[in-house]
Amino acid sequence: MINGFEYSSEDVKIILPGKATPEEGVVDINYEVMKEHTEIHGMSADPVALGRGKKSRSGDITVLQSVIEGMQGALLPGKDLTDMPPFTITVGYAPVGGKATFDRLKFVRIKKVPKGMKSGDTHMEVKLDLAIGMIEYNVGG
């Protein structure tokens, strides 16, 4: 908490590939890292040891249609966003009066690009499922 304030969405800035400034058309972003942890059993009901295994990462980002069209425009005709080469997304948390921190999502690929609208919609939001190769937490900007 900084001066009585918690981080809010207005404190988050996201830089997408091909951009030098934060993308204003991001609606939300989620990312996570998971690590396998297992209980190793002998003949008893209780574990005799703990094992640890592989890490995996995943996430999603929801953007406005204009962001999708901008990213799509950088591809060859006939290609879609799932054909993009791996890229990096930088997520900055910069509260007023506080210290900025940055997370870097590296080797990102887009797994799914759904599009659609219904009657009365005033804009289109597109949730992109992401495959993430590495997440570097609390790195410099």
Side-chain angles (χ1 to χ4, degrees):
M1 186 166 22
I2 299 152
N3 298 326
F5 291 98
E6 279 291 339
Y7 289 86
S8 70
S9 62
E10 69 183 42
D11 300 324
V12 178
K13 305 298 182 216
I14 299 168
I15 299 176
L16 294 175
K19 300 280 260 180
T21 58
E23 176 58 64
E24 296 295 323
V26 174
V27 177
D28 76 31
I29 187 164
N30 301 287
Y31 50 97
E32 63 185 0
V33 60
M34 297 150 291
K35 184 172 179 90
E36 290 179 17
H37 292 276
T38 59
E39 295 179 343
I40 301 168
H41 291 271
M43 294 297 289
S44 69
D46 295 320
V48 296
L50 297 175
R52 59 190 186 278
K54 298 177 182 178
K55 281 189 176 183
S56 60
R57 296 141 189 99
S58 64
D60 60 71
I61 186 169
T62 302
V63 297
L64 299 176
Q65 180 184 2
S66 57
V67 174
I68 295 293
E69 300 308 325
M71 293 172 73
Q72 185 70 46
L75 298 174
L76 294 172
K79 298 291 185 181
D80 62 63
L81 297 183
T82 63
D83 298 317
M84 286 180 65
F87 57 90
T88 298
I89 297 174
T90 302
V91 183
Y93 300 89
V96 174
K99 179 184 176 212
T101 60
F102 299 89
D103 294 343
R104 193 167 293 125
L105 287 55
K106 297 178 77 175
F107 314 112
V108 175
R109 299 292 306 256
I110 297 173
K111 295 173 22 174
K112 183 168 119 178
V113 185
K115 288 177 79 172
M117 293 186 83
K118 64 182 178 296
S119 177
D121 283 352
T122 60
H123 65 285
M124 181 190 292
E125 294 181 4
V126 181
K127 182 178 178 179
L128 305 171
D129 289 340
L130 305 175
I132 303 170
M134 179 180 293
I135 302 173
E136 296 175 335
Y137 291 96
N138 199 25
V139 297

